Amino acid sequence: MAPFNTNQVKYIQAVAGRQQHTTLKAINKTGIITSNDFSGFETPQTFDVTDPLLLATFALHEYATCWDARGVHNNDILEAADFQNLAGTNMGFGKYIDQLRALDVPCQGESSTAEDRADDEWISSTLRATPDGFLKSLNLKLRLTLPSNIPVAHPDFNEIAAISDRTSAPVYDATDYANFWRGSLAIGPKTEAIKAALEIYARSHPMHTPHYEFRLIMFRNRLPTYRSGAGSNNLDAIRNGVSLLNPAYDLFMGQTGRPRGPLGYRTSPNLDKNMDPNGASAPYYSGKFWDSTASPAAFVNGVVPLLSGDAGHGDTNGSELFPIGENLFTHRDLMTMPLNKNDYVVMRDVRFFLGQSQGKSHFEDVFDFDFNDQINTADTDLLSSDTLSDKNYRWQCVILGTSNGKDPVHLNYEIRGTTCVQSG
């Protein structure tokens, strides 16, 4: 017999008088992201951050936990340590904005009356009426805007000196130029000469203003994921084959056919057979990993097992950040680098431009998730429901930005969302 379609389910629910209580949860988050505003575990290890780079990430509900470049995760033996001290998928992806906890919807407690449950009319629309019900949808709106005032990096002294004729008075040097920007250079011929050189420089600049370029990526793992130490551990998913892939090593695709990320890269069983005497039977993570047990905590070199079955704790040849022949990701790479769509579902990958030269000051996007999935849990975290163990709801968003120069990048963000659940 074919399963009921959506309209048939709604009719059956209406006749039975069930699932008539609608719960709506509001999600609100605002703030500002600035270039190079990351530290500690947020800091990318394979990105060239010589010039200002805007990099930030947030999760719709929560970040999944995953393996990293430690030897215990890189060997061929599955053991208890593989599920201890796991890394979060946000590590290396820049500024930690937040976990929006979009699927945290509390349930009405037991009624003190003799009735089995409270009447729907007496239950707030922010609460579920019963543990069983349906996770209907999640609507998310994202608005990104340039601030009204962004600091602009002034040209280097050598660029201005090449414009000015400094063989005759007034002659100014690097110290005078630095004092000019500090406001401590006395008004006079030197000041006027510097202003004239800056005006010529501005006219000669092809864009006249910073060329702000951004990229937004909304993605998740193709398979169910795992969350260590939370109410949504999803142990059934572990038994059934949960994915512990780490996008910090394999979200992007490198030039030589190997997946790469902000902390390192993933070796290929076909292309890297020389790395293992046994023929690289499994892919390894090479690069850096965040050692939270160190004092102080820091990024350390990854580990690749030397022999089959070796825990790998004595070998450090897994410290390479990128494959041979490739290099650090530049800002230009990050704006156009293809994504690893073999292992990740990409809902959105969009590049956009803001600024005076583009005639745009903001970017808006809407994400609609039509789940319509059955739930059965009294916990606030809906992912604790075993009915959701065969799907992945841990979506993650990464925002990148550059001015294509020395100018800093600032971006305001506004996140508005609504989670809809039916119960009763």
Side-chain angles (χ1 to χ4, degrees), residues 34 62 64 103 113 127-128 151 169 234 293 326 350 363 403:
T34 58
E62 63 184 10
L103 302 183
T113 67
L127 299 174
R128 290 181 288 135
N234 209 348
T293 63
E326 300 193 36
V350 58
F363 170 83
S403 64

Side-chain angles (χ1 to χ4, degrees), residues 149-406:
N149 185 15
I150 303 178
V152 178
H154 57 73
D156 185 79
F157 168 73
N158 292 325
E159 295 177 312
I160 298 301
I163 297 174
S164 299
D165 178 11
R166 297 190 301 118
T167 60
S168 58
V171 177
Y172 61 89
D173 55 20
T175 301
D176 295 327
Y177 186 67
N179 290 334
F180 170 83
W181 286 105
R182 295 190 186 102
S184 59
L185 182 63
I187 298 176
K190 290 184 178 181
T191 304
E192 295 304 318
I194 294 174
K195 287 182 178 179
L198 288 172
E199 185 177 349
I200 295 172
Y201 177 85
R203 290 201 304 267
S204 64
H205 193 283
M207 300 304 298
H208 298 286
T209 59
H211 184 58
Y212 295 112
E213 184 177 358
F214 301 91
R215 186 179 186 182
L216 182 146
I217 306 169
M218 179 72 76
F219 69 97
R220 66 165 173 82
N221 198 302
R222 283 194 176 275
L223 301 176
T225 50
Y226 173 71
R227 176 66 177 172
S228 176
S232 52
N233 285 343
N234 209 348
L235 296 178
D236 287 336
I238 293 177
R239 287 189 288 268
N240 294 333
V242 70
S243 173
L244 290 165
L245 288 180
N246 191 336
Y249 301 90
D250 55 21
L251 177 61
F252 301 94
M253 288 301 299
Q255 298 167 267
T256 60
R258 298 167 177 85
R260 292 185 56 183
L263 298 186
Y265 77 101
R266 194 176 77 196
T267 64
S268 168
N270 297 323
L271 301 175
D272 295 308
K273 293 182 179 180
N274 59 302
M275 290 187 63
D276 192 306
N278 299 291
S281 58
Y284 301 136
Y285 282 151
S286 178
K288 302 281 188 177
F289 72 92
W290 183 253
D291 187 356
S292 58
T293 63
S295 182
F299 279 110
V300 298
N301 289 336
V303 177
V304 171
L306 183 62
L307 298 171
S308 177
D310 178 16
H313 299 293
D315 189 27
T316 58
N317 65 350
S319 60
E320 289 83 1
L321 293 175
F322 41 81
I324 297 174
E326 300 193 36
N327 210 327
L328 293 175
F329 279 138
T330 66
H331 297 190
R332 275 69 63 188
D333 293 328
L334 293 171
M335 292 298 112
T336 58
M337 212 67 181
L339 301 178
N340 175 13
K341 295 184 179 181
N342 293 325
D343 299 311
Y344 297 96
V345 175
V346 180
M347 183 181 191
R348 194 82 82 248
D349 180 15
V350 58
R351 189 159 56 116
F352 56 97
F353 307 87
L354 301 178
Q356 179 180 348
S357 59
Q358 304 298 324
K360 292 181 62 178
S361 63
H362 69 279
F363 170 83
E364 296 179 354
D365 207 343
V366 177
F367 304 89
D368 289 312
F369 301 87
D370 295 321
F371 299 122
N372 200 33
D373 294 328
Q374 187 176 2
I375 55 174
N376 187 12
T377 178
D379 292 343
T380 296
D381 187 354
L382 299 185
L383 291 192
S384 62
S385 174
D386 56 6
T387 60
L388 305 182
S389 61
D390 60 345
K391 294 179 67 175
N392 188 358
Y393 300 83
R394 296 185 177 96
W395 290 89
Q396 183 173 343
C397 183
V398 175
I399 303 172
L400 304 106
T402 175
S403 64
N404 288 288
K406 300 294 184 181

Side-chain angles (χ1 to χ4, degrees), residues 38-49 53 55 91-95 261-263 299:
F38 36 73
S39 60
F41 69 84
E42 302 172 334
T43 308
Q45 303 297 298
T46 66
F47 296 173
D48 184 351
V49 294
L53 173 68
L55 179 64
M91 289 190 175
F93 279 105
K95 181 68 175 180
L263 298 186
F299 279 110

Side-chain angles (χ1 to χ4, degrees), residues 11-221:
Y11 175 77
I12 295 172
Q13 291 175 350
V15 171
R18 298 286 289 175
Q19 317 304 337
Q20 297 301 299
H21 179 74
T22 299
T23 305
L24 299 174
K25 173 185 176 174
I27 302 163
N28 298 282
K29 190 73 178 178
T30 60
I32 184 169
I33 317 168
T34 58
S35 52
N36 291 9
D37 182 23
F38 36 73
S39 60
F41 69 84
E42 302 172 334
T43 308
Q45 303 297 298
T46 66
F47 296 173
D48 184 351
V49 294
T50 305
D51 293 337
L53 173 68
L54 182 145
L55 179 64
T57 183
F58 69 87
L60 262 64
H61 182 63
E62 63 184 10
Y63 296 106
T65 46
C66 50
W67 287 334
D68 54 31
R70 280 176 287 174
V72 67
H73 297 154
N74 270 336
N75 62 28
D76 298 330
I77 302 175
L78 190 63
E79 50 192 319
D82 281 304
F83 300 99
Q84 298 171 356
N85 301 319
L86 295 179
T89 56
N90 60 307
M91 289 190 175
F93 279 105
K95 181 68 175 180
Y96 175 96
I97 293 180
D98 206 355
Q99 298 183 121
L100 300 183
R101 306 299 303 181
L103 302 183
D104 276 356
V105 185
C107 182
Q108 169 73 20
E110 289 292 332
S111 173
S112 59
T113 67
E115 298 175 339
D116 292 334
R117 61 186 177 87
D119 292 334
D120 295 348
E121 292 82 359
W122 297 99
I123 298 176
S124 169
S125 62
T126 62
L127 299 174
R128 290 181 288 135
T130 56
D132 64 309
F134 283 85
L135 170 59
K136 301 297 292 183
S137 63
L138 168 60
N139 174 269
L140 198 74
K141 297 179 181 179
L142 177 63
R143 180 181 174 91
L144 303 172
T145 59
L146 288 177
S148 58
N149 185 15
I150 303 178
V152 178
H154 57 73
D156 185 79
F157 168 73
N158 292 325
E159 295 177 312
I160 298 301
I163 297 174
S164 299
D165 178 11
R166 297 190 301 118
T167 60
S168 58
V171 177
Y172 61 89
D173 55 20
T175 301
D176 295 327
Y177 186 67
N179 290 334
F180 170 83
W181 286 105
R182 295 190 186 102
S184 59
L185 182 63
I187 298 176
K190 290 184 178 181
T191 304
E192 295 304 318
I194 294 174
K195 287 182 178 179
L198 288 172
E199 185 177 349
I200 295 172
Y201 177 85
R203 290 201 304 267
S204 64
H205 193 283
M207 300 304 298
H208 298 286
T209 59
H211 184 58
Y212 295 112
E213 184 177 358
F214 301 91
R215 186 179 186 182
L216 182 146
I217 306 169
M218 179 72 76
F219 69 97
R220 66 165 173 82
N221 198 302

